[in-house]
Amino acid sequence: MAKPKKHAGSPSNRATGKKHPQRSGYTARKKTDDASRSKQTDSGSRPQITTDGASRSKRADAADRSKHTDATDRSKHTDATDRSKKHAASAPAHTHGQARPKQRRADRPGRADVPDAAPAFDCKVARRCGACQLLALPYDAQLNRKQHLIEELFADTSCPVSPIIGMEDPLHYRDKVISPFAPGPKGRILTGMYASGTHRIVETDGCLIENETAQAIIRTVRALMPSFRQEPYDEDAGTGFLRHVQVRVAHFTGEVMVTLITNRREFPGSKNYVKTLRARHPEITTIVQNVNTRQTNVILGEQEHTLYGPGFIVDELCGMRFRISSRAFYQVNPVQAERLYKAALDLAQLDASQEVIDAYCGTGTIGLIASARAGHVIGVEENHDAIRDAQANARLNKVGNIDFEAADAGTFMRDAAAESAYIDTVLMDPPRSGADERFLASLVALAPACISYISCNPTTQKRDADYLATHGYRLERIQPVDMFPFTDHVENVALLKR
């Protein structure tokens, strides 16, 4: 097996002949005693996490994200490779489609229940859609509510909860938009989003949380369908051509990818279609045809054909560049993703002496960002396609102090523990269901000095933190982040140390 790579800034004892696990790309040190571990990871005062805009002292958030279903998606369904989120709930009443000025901030944090009065942000389809449960609240009140819920959830731990990190501008934050297409009455073409818990399309020409460029492109795609004789997909009959359109907008580079999900490979007039669509939207940098002939709820198929451009876009996050394909996982709110990852790494207090494991690493986003601070990072992910994307992203950024393993993270850590490996910090971002007990047992056996736990579901995060607390870890800091304004969802970072 190849020996671990040595890199600038690594501690000198990497080359001293100390025992390393016999695994490709794996660097580790022998375990030291608990006092030594604490010295390596506890470096004095904790970093101060601040909120956007004015100081937000007691705002709140409760929780739900699924790695595999996103409630704030335009579609009820998400493609199988996405870590996404879904939470169905009744939406408050809304009327018109324009945002109104914010109402007065709630007087008492956590006491801001959804009122029956006129909503703070108006959406004419809110009742039928159901994706945005908190539109009736001013944004400050939404943050208060979420902060309070996190504080209540972790109240028995006596661990301080930092003020929630919110957005300066919470509108149109979703840079990935998916819209289904279906036949309507009298030959009309329906597009919009699925009503919560149904396959019924709610027609809309606008959405307060979706990227406006993406929305405009989807409207143009619908307008072009009759002239190109494209029929919308009928899911009952299995007929028609266009099933969905997915638009991804790179927030920091401005690149735009349009993916047309079709019911067959043949695409008559595709060259003229691409020319026409780009004439209307010159900001489009690539167009991809994804073929899905199965009668399934999964949006994306296995076959893809690039119709224009490179077939992917590139965006930047925390100083790193990431290649994003139609099926790659990438946070839909990159503004808040930067703040989430920064919070997780700040709490971990990484430095160039540390060995780090990025469990559930996906396409390597968190691990690559951590590599700028840590001595060496190992990203572990059982999805082979994601590992290939992660390796490509490492090459794109010319990062030499990170390796990726296509393996189950729990098994990998258990084997590393059996080889007396020592890891300073484990970064973990599990799916909505949290970590299973087998994973947690492997984590305890490996005994890293520090765990920085990012969660899309603070309820399962709290459960896992309780398990770790019975096995020698203490919960030291909690940092909620509002990734999905207007919804019940919240991300949360928990720092645990031995």
Side-chain angles (χ1 to χ4, degrees):
M1 289 289 189
K3 290 185 178 181
K5 297 179 182 178
K6 187 176 181 182
H7 56 282
S10 299
S12 58
N13 66 359
R14 293 190 200 289
T16 59
K18 292 194 175 186
K19 182 177 179 182
H20 300 291
Q22 296 301 306
R23 255 184 196 281
S24 173
Y26 188 81
T27 306
R29 298 191 300 279
K30 277 196 168 188
K31 289 186 178 180
T32 59
D33 58 30
D34 287 341
S36 176
R37 290 186 198 128
S38 297
K39 185 177 180 180
Q40 290 169 342
T41 56
D42 296 336
S43 56
S45 62
R46 300 166 182 151
Q48 183 175 356
I49 307 299
T50 58
T51 62
D52 288 58
S55 172
R56 294 186 168 117
S57 57
K58 283 209 161 196
R59 307 187 201 158
D61 190 310
D64 270 330
R65 174 190 83 163
S66 171
K67 244 180 185 178
H68 304 289
T69 1
D70 196 326
T72 57
D73 250 359
R74 283 185 75 112
S75 169
K76 175 187 169 189
H77 317 294
T78 59
D79 101 61
T81 64
D82 257 10
R83 303 185 202 158
S84 36
K85 318 167 191 228
K86 177 167 179 114
H87 179 75
S90 300
H94 312 293
T95 52
H96 309 294
Q98 300 297 320
R100 299 192 316 199
K102 291 182 180 180
Q103 296 176 3
R104 182 176 59 89
R105 178 172 174 167
D107 292 329
R108 298 181 62 188
R111 298 292 183 181
D113 294 323
V114 178
D116 294 328
F121 298 89
D122 290 346
C123 173
K124 62 184 178 182
V125 298
R127 280 192 181 276
R128 289 180 288 143
C129 169
C132 298
Q133 302 86 26
L134 303 182
L135 277 175
L137 291 177
Y139 188 52
D140 277 352
Q142 294 178 36
L143 295 175
N144 290 342
R145 176 189 177 98
K146 293 179 180 183
Q147 178 86 19
H148 179 70
L149 289 170
I150 291 293
E151 289 171 350
E152 287 290 303
L153 180 63
F154 288 90
D156 65 343
T157 67
S158 300
C159 180
V161 178
S162 298
I164 188 169
I165 300 174
M167 299 191 72
E168 293 172 353
D169 180 5
L171 298 173
H172 304 294
Y173 59 84
R174 291 189 62 86
D175 286 341
K176 173 185 169 185
V177 178
I178 301 175
S179 183
F181 287 74
K186 299 181 180 180
R188 291 175 56 227
I189 298 172
L190 304 181
T191 187
M193 58 202 72
Y194 287 118
S196 180
T198 76
H199 279 212
R200 178 172 51 82
I201 292 179
V202 177
E203 288 189 273
T204 178
D205 285 330
C207 175
L208 292 175
I209 66 173
E210 291 177 346
N211 182 284
E212 293 175 289
T213 296
Q215 293 180 56
I217 291 171
I218 289 170
R219 290 194 294 269
T220 299
V221 168
R222 180 179 60 184
L224 292 178
M225 288 177 69
S227 59
F228 283 88
R229 298 182 180 180
Q230 296 174 351
E231 296 291 330
Y233 179 67
D234 185 327
E235 66 176 5
D236 294 325
T239 59
F241 178 71
L242 189 61
R243 298 173 66 127
H244 292 82
V245 171
Q246 174 183 276
V247 182
R248 304 186 85 152
V249 181
H251 183 84
F252 295 101
T253 67
E255 296 182 12
V256 178
M257 174 170 57
V258 177
T259 303
L260 306 164
I261 297 97
T262 65
N263 191 39
R264 58 178 179 270
R265 169 67 182 93
E266 296 77 18
F267 194 146
S270 61
K271 291 184 178 179
N272 190 34
Y273 180 89
V274 167
K275 182 179 179 181
T276 304
L277 183 58
R278 286 207 67 251
R280 303 270 188 100
H281 296 280
E283 65 272 20
I284 295 173
T285 54
T286 191
I287 301 174
V288 175
Q289 179 192 9
N290 177 280
V291 182
N292 186 358
T293 60
R294 298 171 296 170
Q295 287 191 294
T296 174
N297 289 341
V298 177
I299 290 175
L300 295 174
E302 297 300 320
Q303 296 182 50
E304 287 198 344
H305 308 276
T306 300
L307 304 179
Y308 172 78
F312 60 87
I313 57 176
V314 175
D315 203 8
E316 296 178 3
L317 200 66
C318 296
M320 294 283 177
R321 292 170 64 82
F322 294 94
R323 174 173 160 164
I324 308 165
S325 65
S326 64
R327 291 185 286 182
F329 170 75
Y330 190 74
Q331 291 282 5
V332 300
N333 185 347
V335 171
Q336 290 300 88
E338 280 202 334
R339 292 163 179 158
L340 176 71
Y341 296 156
K342 183 179 184 300
L345 300 181
D346 284 351
L347 291 179
Q349 297 181 327
L350 300 182
D351 61 50
S353 71
Q354 293 189 21
E355 297 282 348
V356 176
I357 285 180
D358 175 14
Y360 308 98
C361 76
T363 57
T365 311
I366 302 173
L368 283 164
I369 295 167
S371 71
R373 306 186 186 198
H376 185 254
V377 179
I378 309 104
V380 187
E381 167 66 52
E382 59 185 349
N383 184 304
H384 288 258
D385 290 337
I387 286 294
R388 280 193 290 271
D389 284 344
Q391 291 166 338
N393 285 327
R395 291 192 296 270
L396 179 65
N397 290 282
K398 298 180 172 59
V399 175
N401 65 328
I402 190 167
D403 295 289
F404 294 100
E405 289 283 342
D408 174 78
T411 301
F412 183 86
M413 290 192 299
R414 184 190 64 208
D415 292 348
E419 295 174 1
S420 298
Y422 176 62
I423 294 294
D424 296 281
T425 299
V426 170
L427 307 172
M428 54 184 288
D429 184 7
R432 175 190 171 102
S433 57
D436 59 33
E437 193 165 332
R438 182 172 168 272
F439 175 95
L440 293 173
S442 298
L443 184 59
V444 169
L446 183 62
C450 175
I451 300 168
S452 188
Y453 186 154
I454 300 172
S455 176
C456 55
N457 184 353
T459 301
T460 55
Q461 182 188 48
K462 173 61 165 58
R463 177 202 67 199
D464 296 345
D466 288 345
Y467 176 95
L468 292 169
T470 63
H471 291 81
Y473 284 90
R474 64 187 182 277
L475 191 60
E476 292 210 344
R477 289 286 295 278
I478 297 168
Q479 176 63 70
V481 178
D482 188 28
M483 287 283 288
F484 301 99
F486 307 112
T487 76
D488 287 329
H489 303 283
V490 60
E491 301 278 324
N492 196 51
V493 182
L495 176 70
L496 298 103
K497 288 188 176 181
R498 289 188 67 83

